[in-house]
Amino acid sequence: MTFRLGAKKIVAETGETVVVPAGRVHKFTNGGEGIARARVEVIPALDMEDLLCTTTELALEGNVLRSGMPKPLHLALFVRQYRREVKAPFPPAPIVRAMLAPLAYLATRKGHDERYAPVTPELTPAAA
């Protein structure tokens, strides 16, 4: 795996550990030809598992750019949904939200927001 931690490039081999301090700008990619597997621990986890599942779904659906970033309409909803988990390094978060608001509106009108709908627990006989 290849990591970019600020301006520093780190190449992690099998079995190595890379620690990213909270709030630090970072990026990671598969640095090799084959499949890369990584174990990631996020503290606090917040909704990182859901975020990672969503990014995988978007990629499988073809809703990402070559860079791996969600396409603009999806990015607007993604940033809104996972605002606690990810932040752009620049500009500040309130400006990003304001800039993406029109795209989030369009994405909602197209029904893309359904994937971000809150999950309603099913009623079970014990809960009824």
Side-chain angles (χ1 to χ4, degrees):
M1 297 288 293
T2 301
F3 291 82
R4 183 67 66 181
L5 184 56
K8 184 178 180 185
K9 179 180 178 180
I10 302 167
V11 178
E13 301 292 335
T14 301
E16 291 186 322
T17 299
V18 175
V19 176
V20 177
R24 285 288 303 274
V25 175
H26 65 283
K27 178 181 178 180
F28 55 93
T29 60
N30 180 348
E33 296 292 321
I35 294 173
R37 289 185 172 77
R39 187 175 85 187
V40 178
E41 182 176 354
V42 179
I43 301 171
L46 303 173
D47 288 325
M48 284 300 294
E49 182 177 2
D50 188 45
L51 177 150
L52 295 170
C53 289
T54 299
T55 57
T56 301
E57 291 169 3
L58 288 170
L60 292 172
E61 295 165 2
N63 288 316
V64 296
L65 304 171
R66 288 188 65 212
S67 66
M69 291 293 290
K71 289 182 177 177
L73 293 179
H74 293 279
L75 178 64
L77 297 173
F78 186 90
V79 167
R80 184 176 67 187
Q81 178 73 21
Y82 300 111
R83 65 188 167 276
R84 296 181 315 152
E85 291 76 16
V86 294
K87 291 178 179 52
F90 184 82
I95 293 172
V96 170
R97 281 194 299 275
M99 290 170 40
L100 292 176
L103 290 176
Y105 173 79
L106 290 174
T108 299
R109 299 276 301 180
K110 289 182 167 265
H112 297 315
D113 62 328
E114 291 179 12
R115 92 167 59 247
Y116 302 105
V119 177
T120 306
E122 294 183 33
L123 288 178
T124 60

